[in-house]
Amino acid sequence: MLVELRSPLTNSRMDLVLVGSHPADGRPSVVVVENKQWSKVEPVPASELVKVPGLPANWESQVHPANQVWAYCNTLTNYLPALENAHVYGIVNMHNASSEDLHQILPAVQGLDSDVCQNVRIFGDDQRDDMARFFRAVLSATDAASNADYLLKSPARPTRALMSAVSDSVLRRNVFTLLDDQRLAYDHVLRAVHESQANDHKEIILVIGGPGTGKSVIAIELLGALSRLNTSAVHATGSKSFTQTLRDQLGTTNRRAKQVFTYFNNYAHVKPNDIDVLIADEAHRIRQNSNTRFTPRDRRSDIAQVEELIRAARVPVFLLDENQIVRKGEVGSIDLIRQAAQARGIKVTEVHLRDQFRCGGCQEYVDWVEDLLGLTINGPQVWKPQDSFELWLAETPEAMEHHLKGKLDQGLQARIAAGYCWPWSDARPDGSLVNDIVIGDWRRPWNSRADRTLNGIPPADLWATHEGGFHQIGCVYTAQGLEYDYAGVILGPDLVWRSGAWTANAKASHDSKVKGAQNFDQLVRNTYKVLATRGMRGAVLYSVDPETRAMLAGLGIPKI
């Protein structure tokens, strides 16, 4: 019996996992148990959600517990080699409700997926004997301890990187298993779509979560699901690198599918409710308006960009993290969206993502980064080694590069990014790059600014995902929204540790987009948080400033 077992590669936990052997064939057998204290539960019409009377209004709608437990089962079988040949089942133990109370939410009655109907059972308080018979049918004590030990020691396979799965997810099938709050957000969007089609309903879904909580995974899975339902849906961001990378992952033959990946400023002149669903990913990058210096006078809009996005779709979906605003002019926030909705009398449903899916599912690391950078009141904390995430401190940029090159040689992805503290030269006439970043004897170029591959060097927008990107240094604008296995982060002289506190130095910045901002201190801290949380498996930190390196060394980070 494994209590509060952590799901592979996330920080989500399962209530109970029972491990034994199957009585029929002796293969390992696993039952994932989700305990619910609800005494009453009802289906939410035209959705896979359930309603729990008595909970606060913003908590009444919940993920169907059968979907929840089946997602745990899928995650175990997808990421633990020990369970490749095992029987895996899920049960929901509703110990405060009767079978009569539960009839309406039985998977077959509510029309859930056939796999859920076949492999998940729900038991009420008056079904103790039925539950016992089920356990006897699928579990025996033979080899139980050794099977459980094997499961606990099984290495977790790496998660499938978002970008490598875009084509499959958008065009073909579900790729990612959505857990807990991720699934709640997904189900709320599908519910709102059904209501908008049935009775001209308009509703905003606001999904709030830090880096690595799966916001973009939700967006991509929604695009695929809505496409298969013949529902018009588009994806929009304020990031050229993110959008171009998404388009690139669809290949050269899916031009029509590429058109679903757009920019926030594409919706200034769209008719109201012209689109069923608009998914505004990285919504913290929303700007005051959609005008640029290239916008013709007769095409300029006097409407706020957030209002344009809301107006364009019956169901606008905003996914954001307020602590990822990294340049002046970005205004996307929870309050901005709430106020724009309230002014038009539009309902807002909020979903807060709590579980960590990047950084090895290591919420401890994300919390540590926020503490380190003064984004919480705690201040820098001693690093406690984690099983699911590697953190290293480099004493030189050469050591960082050598360490990450080793990861690259193992077939893993690795990139180095830095604060924008060095000039950024144009490429030479032959396409070669200038080594602008100089730290002692170590010299490297920024990523290419070109829009195509030259001399094996990928264009700026594909630096994070294309082969050849390792040999250039990225900045926050080429890294934000993307991910790789291992992240190297160079802290420049724009943020240094002095007299027990961080000091931000705008004069050390070469970023014209932020150096004149009144909130430069906040923006530069957000920048390094973004860069430090791109890694799925590990990170290497290096500061050009000796005093800052000494502070980091005092936090117990292993050195390389």
Side-chain angles (χ1 to χ4, degrees):
M1 179 184 295
L2 307 176
V3 180
E4 291 288 318
L5 180 67
R6 179 169 162 169
S7 179
L9 302 171
T10 80
N11 66 332
S12 182
R13 292 185 180 273
M14 294 165 273
D15 288 344
L16 199 64
V17 177
L18 305 177
V19 185
S21 295
H22 200 283
D25 57 19
R27 285 160 50 192
S29 188
V30 172
V31 180
V32 181
V33 181
E34 176 66 21
N35 292 311
K36 293 295 185 189
Q37 299 184 38
W38 307 334
S39 56
K40 295 287 184 181
V41 61
E42 305 164 2
V44 174
S47 79
E48 294 193 2
L49 294 163
V50 295
K51 178 181 178 181
V52 184
L55 290 181
N58 58 329
W59 290 97
E60 270 195 340
S61 293
Q62 297 279 333
V63 173
H64 196 294
N67 280 337
Q68 181 185 1
V69 74
W70 186 236
Y72 293 151
C73 293
N74 275 336
T75 303
L76 288 174
T77 55
N78 287 343
Y79 296 120
L80 295 184
L83 298 183
E84 283 180 331
N85 194 39
H87 298 276
V88 180
Y89 307 91
I91 71 165
V92 181
N93 177 26
M94 304 281 285
H95 50 84
N96 286 333
S98 70
S99 56
E100 183 178 352
D101 294 327
L102 301 175
H103 177 74
Q104 293 182 87
I105 70 157
L106 293 178
V109 174
Q110 198 166 344
L112 304 189
D113 184 88
S114 60
D115 283 344
V116 179
C117 295
Q118 182 177 348
N119 293 289
V120 178
R121 290 159 178 79
I122 300 179
F123 295 102
D125 181 53
D126 56 340
Q127 295 176 300
R128 303 294 95 186
D129 291 342
D130 293 337
M131 185 189 294
R133 279 191 291 270
F134 169 76
F135 282 137
R136 284 194 292 268
V138 301
L139 280 175
S140 77
T142 305
D143 297 324
S146 59
N147 286 344
D149 191 51
Y150 186 42
L151 183 154
L152 291 171
K153 292 180 179 178
S154 179
R157 297 187 184 95
T159 55
R160 188 170 183 187
L162 171 69
M163 293 305 169
S164 67
V166 167
S167 181
D168 272 357
S169 186
V170 172
L171 297 174
R172 300 179 185 89
R173 60 188 176 87
N174 295 96
V175 172
F176 298 102
T177 299
L178 302 180
L179 295 177
D180 300 340
D181 296 327
Q182 287 184 322
R183 180 62 194 243
L184 183 63
Y186 175 94
D187 282 342
H188 268 303
V189 173
L190 296 186
R191 172 197 54 75
V193 168
H194 179 86
E195 292 183 12
S196 74
Q197 294 170 342
N199 54 25
D200 201 28
H201 174 79
K202 188 177 178 86
E203 180 178 344
I204 293 170
I205 309 297
L206 176 55
V207 184
I208 303 156
T213 50
K215 297 183 297 296
S216 294
V217 165
I218 297 168
I220 298 305
E221 284 294 289
L222 278 171
L223 278 179
L226 293 167
S227 174
R228 291 186 286 275
L229 291 171
N230 294 317
T231 299
S232 64
V234 293
H235 180 280
T237 76
S239 168
K240 186 170 182 284
S241 292
F242 193 37
T243 299
Q244 289 298 109
T245 304
L246 288 167
R247 289 175 175 175
D248 177 72
Q249 292 299 318
L250 286 172
T252 58
T253 59
N254 297 301
R255 294 181 181 178
R256 185 176 179 184
K258 287 182 179 183
Q259 294 174 6
V260 304
F261 296 115
T262 63
Y263 298 100
F264 292 153
N265 61 5
N266 291 151
Y267 297 92
H269 302 286
V270 171
K271 294 179 182 177
N273 297 333
D274 195 44
I275 305 159
D276 289 323
V277 181
L278 188 151
I279 302 168
D281 202 354
E282 303 273 310
H284 39 271
R285 302 200 66 176
I286 289 173
R287 304 183 72 81
Q288 290 279 7
N289 58 62
S290 294
N291 302 322
T292 71
R293 59 193 178 97
F294 302 109
T295 306
R297 182 174 298 178
D298 64 343
R299 298 291 291 173
R300 287 182 171 267
S301 172
D302 58 359
I303 301 175
Q305 191 171 78
V306 67
E307 295 177 18
E308 293 171 353
L309 296 170
I310 291 173
R311 183 182 62 178
R314 293 181 180 276
V315 182
V317 181
F318 294 94
L319 305 109
L320 65 82
D321 172 11
E322 291 179 314
N323 284 333
Q324 288 198 53
I325 295 175
V326 298
R327 60 198 296 184
K328 60 184 179 182
E330 294 177 347
V331 299
S333 70
I334 297 169
D335 284 344
L336 179 78
I337 294 165
R338 286 174 179 165
Q339 291 167 10
Q342 185 177 11
R344 284 151 191 78
I346 301 171
K347 177 184 176 182
V348 178
T349 296
E350 295 184 17
V351 180
H352 292 256
L353 305 177
R354 293 163 292 186
D355 291 327
Q356 176 61 223
F357 291 81
R358 197 188 286 141
C359 303
C362 185
Q363 184 64 44
E364 294 86 352
Y365 171 69
V366 177
D367 292 343
W368 182 88
V369 169
E370 292 182 347
D371 291 342
L372 172 70
L373 294 171
L375 297 172
T376 70
I377 62 172
N378 300 323
Q381 303 293 308
V382 171
W383 170 248
K384 297 177 182 178
Q386 304 291 322
D387 292 336
S388 57
F389 193 81
E390 301 175 29
L391 179 64
W392 302 90
L393 179 63
E395 297 190 297
T396 64
E398 291 92 342
M400 169 186 285
E401 187 175 53
H402 177 75
H403 182 83
L404 294 176
K405 179 62 166 57
K407 302 299 184 182
L408 209 67
D409 292 342
Q410 296 172 25
L412 300 168
Q413 268 192 325
R415 291 293 184 271
I416 299 174
Y420 198 164
C421 299
W422 292 267
W424 198 321
S425 303
D426 292 330
R428 300 185 181 93
D430 65 356
S432 60
L433 303 179
V434 178
N435 288 327
D436 284 319
I437 301 175
V438 179
I439 304 172
D441 294 331
W442 188 79
R443 298 167 180 262
R444 290 295 178 268
W446 289 109
N447 60 256
S448 170
R449 284 173 163 167
D451 58 5
R452 66 186 191 278
T453 299
L454 294 171
N455 302 323
I457 300 170
D461 300 330
L462 306 180
W463 162 85
T465 54
H466 271 217
E467 189 175 352
F470 179 74
H471 302 289
Q472 306 93 49
I473 308 305
C475 74
V476 69
Y477 304 121
T478 43
Q480 190 171 27
L482 302 172
E483 60 190 18
Y484 19 90
D485 293 315
Y486 287 88
V489 183
I490 298 175
L491 284 78
D494 56 350
L495 188 67
V496 296
W497 187 260
R498 293 289 183 272
S499 302
W502 288 108
T503 297
N505 179 14
K507 293 181 179 179
S509 175
H510 284 258
D511 188 352
S512 60
K513 297 181 177 69
V514 302
K515 63 185 304 179
Q518 291 184 343
N519 62 336
F520 176 82
D521 177 84
Q522 181 70 46
L523 295 177
V524 74
R525 292 168 192 251
N526 288 353
T527 291
Y528 285 116
K529 176 189 174 181
V530 169
L531 296 182
T533 54
R534 297 306 92 193
M536 297 172 68
R537 294 182 172 208
V540 182
L541 306 181
Y542 168 77
S543 174
V544 300
D545 177 66
E547 194 170 330
T548 306
R549 286 201 305 276
M551 181 276 288
L552 293 171
L555 300 179
I557 309 170
K559 292 183 180 179
I560 54 173

